Amino acid sequence: TSITSAKIQVNGVHLHYQQTGEGNHAVLLLPGMLGSGQTDFGPQLKSMNKKLFTIVAWDPRGYGQSIPPPRDFPPDFFERDAKDAVDLMQALKFKKFSLLGWSDGGITALIAAAKYPTLIHKLVVWGANASVTQEDVRIYNGIRDVSKWSEKVKKPLEEMYGHKYFAKTCEAWVDGISRFAEKSDGNICQELLPDIKCPTFIIHGEKDPLVPRAHAEYIHKHIKGSR
């Protein structure tokens, strides 16, 4: 089946999404920092089972083709993304759906599953964290300067955004996410994890350079029945 690409107005912004498949099980794919449906989920849009699933990949506001507005990082940017994501799926007339989120999209998915439990069927997150430590801040600052990124990771993002927007937004992200470390426990969404009631599967790369494994273990420990 083909992949449709469209925009829909949600919470005062025009959000871009891609959709494919005709299955009963609706799934939203949530990209990571600076990511879009196309850059982060090309293989899933192409290869996920289109008879079982209806697959939607979105570009959060300020990312991908959901510009304008330019991306910013107020203290509640993860909650804002979670509301945008859920409202997008409701605008597309999905009554219940699953979330697959990676990195920042994983954090957004955790918040959405906790805050809108009646809407979320199942949850898969990978490379996600529920808090930010001083060690994390040190790691984030290591990627602040995009000119030091590998060509492989940098190229698709530069092609999508142009160098200036890409560089500026990455710096703003580092500042925005580092602010969580100023709280006593570095909390992003720790207190919400026990509110997640849907079946949850947590994936983590042993060699993930940005998110130490302890984060995945914390999430697993605090979401009842998660695997």
Side-chain angles (χ1 to χ4, degrees):
T1 36
S2 62
I3 298 170
T4 57
S5 175
K7 280 189 170 186
I8 189 166
Q9 186 161 349
V10 176
N11 299 326
V13 295
H14 289 90
L15 294 175
H16 176 262
Y17 67 95
Q18 291 165 286
Q19 185 173 330
T20 187
E22 63 232 331
N24 292 333
H25 190 156
V27 179
L28 177 65
L29 309 176
L30 299 96
M33 172 264 273
L34 279 162
S36 67
Q38 191 51 51
T39 54
D40 289 16
F41 295 115
Q44 286 78 9
L45 285 163
K46 199 167 131 222
S47 306
M48 274 179 77
N49 187 321
K50 315 253 167 129
K51 290 194 171 59
L52 285 180
F53 301 110
T54 296
I55 301 137
V56 179
W58 82 311
D59 299 357
R61 62 170 77 198
Y63 284 162
Q65 294 180 54
S66 296
I67 305 171
R71 181 72 182 183
D72 63 345
F73 298 93
D76 68 341
F77 73 90
F78 283 118
E79 280 83 3
R80 182 180 69 182
D81 282 349
K83 185 170 175 17
D84 282 349
V86 166
D87 291 351
L88 165 75
M89 291 300 276
Q90 293 201 292
L92 295 175
K93 305 284 187 278
F94 295 108
K95 290 191 171 59
K96 201 160 184 173
F97 47 92
S98 292
L99 303 172
L100 270 74
W102 97 273
S103 185
D104 274 16
I107 300 171
T108 301
L110 291 168
I111 293 170
K115 288 194 160 181
Y116 309 96
T118 57
L119 301 176
I120 309 306
H121 181 43
K122 293 184 175 182
L123 173 64
V124 180
V125 296
W126 60 104
N129 47 303
S131 64
V132 176
T133 67
Q134 290 303 327
E135 166 68 3
D136 294 329
V137 172
R138 193 187 62 72
I139 296 171
Y140 300 150
N141 277 304
I143 65 158
R144 175 186 288 274
D145 179 359
V146 298
S147 68
K148 294 181 179 148
W149 288 28
S150 76
E151 272 310 305
K152 185 183 165 208
V153 182
K154 189 165 63 175
K155 195 165 178 255
L157 293 168
E158 278 196 328
E159 281 170 4
M160 185 163 62
Y161 293 120
H163 179 76
K164 192 176 160 196
Y165 187 91
F166 170 43
K168 191 180 85 187
T169 308
C170 182
E171 287 185 11
W173 176 82
V174 171
D175 292 339
I177 197 153
S178 297
R179 262 196 251 97
F180 290 103
E182 291 162 15
K183 302 184 194 173
S184 58
D185 51 0
N187 178 44
I188 301 174
C189 61
Q190 290 171 315
E191 76 292 347
L192 293 176
L193 300 181
D195 296 341
I196 296 172
K197 301 291 185 253
C198 64
T200 300
F201 189 41
I202 300 150
I203 303 169
H204 204 77
E206 191 66 56
K207 298 179 181 176
D208 188 321
L210 265 188
V211 183
R213 177 180 160 170
H215 284 299
E217 288 167 351
Y218 182 94
I219 293 168
H220 174 41
K221 189 177 162 190
H222 290 86
I223 298 178
K224 200 175 170 206
S226 63
R227 292 193 293 155

